[in-house]
Amino acid sequence: MTRPEIRIHNLHKSFGGNHVLRGIDLEIGHGEVVCVIGPSGSGKSTLLRCVNLLEEPTGGQVFVGGTELTDPDVDIDAARRRIGMVFQQFNLFPHLSVTENLTLPQRRVLGREKATAARIAAENLARVGLSEKADARPSSLSGGQQQRVAIARALAMGPEVMLFDEPTSALDPELVGDVLAVMRGLAREGMTMMVVTHEMSFAREVADRVVFMDGGVIIEDGAPDRVIGDPQHERTRHFLSRLLDPAMAGVEEKPPGRVGTSER
């Protein structure tokens, strides 16, 4: 593996008496794409949110690009500028145009001049295939287009690492493809990516590694063909059998991370 861009050591997270993460160790190399899979409630989203301290770990360490985010003396705002995050919900400002949604954070957080922010916004809208929507309001866009705008907004900040928390889970099935195509493009460009997903075809095709979590721990970590195609642990096999063919388990698998769930 190349030098670690993300390093997680002995990470724990509890919510009251609920011990959600139980000593996670994980490294993601520069330019590597790692997909995190697992059942609802396994701790996937909490792990992702701990990487940029949207959730404060109960114990352990998180490093991004050599900076320890869990150091009490770290400049967390500066450290977070290296990390882009895309959520299940699009979180766009409805009263602003697409371009304004991209330029506002650049100007407020990075202090960029208006013209520079607009140029970078245009470049990243082109990157996600939405140049023609620059003046549109979010309400006029499909869910897939709104998510691509959210990706462009994150990219406009110039991140070194991108985190994706079930980016297609709120979308109708016919809208998923365009979002995944953008993410494939980022992977080809060499962007370091950590992706919580239930899109097994995407994980097989794009991920360098797949991590399977259950019960707040990592059960398997390896190449997609091994973890998805030939899982070694019964818990992984059971999860994949339910996800890929719910009838095999006799119970329909609950889609992970749907909007309105409290999956942690």
Side-chain angles (χ1 to χ4, degrees), residues 208-221:
D208 297 295
R209 284 161 52 216
V210 172
V211 170
F212 172 70
M213 288 183 64
D214 194 12
V217 299
I218 292 175
I219 304 298
E220 294 201 50
D221 178 355

Side-chain angles (χ1 to χ4, degrees), residues 118-169:
R119 174 180 57 79
I120 292 172
E123 291 171 355
N124 283 285
L125 284 176
R127 204 171 172 185
V128 301
L130 288 175
S131 295
E132 76 282 2
K133 300 296 185 181
D135 298 323
R137 293 292 176 91
S139 59
S140 70
L141 306 180
S142 71
Q145 289 171 332
Q146 290 186 62
Q147 189 62 292
R148 286 153 64 194
V149 170
I151 293 172
R153 178 182 56 189
L155 293 172
M157 303 296 284
E160 299 169 20
V161 169
M162 286 286 287
L163 310 178
F164 293 86
D165 187 7
E166 292 280 10
T168 61
S169 67

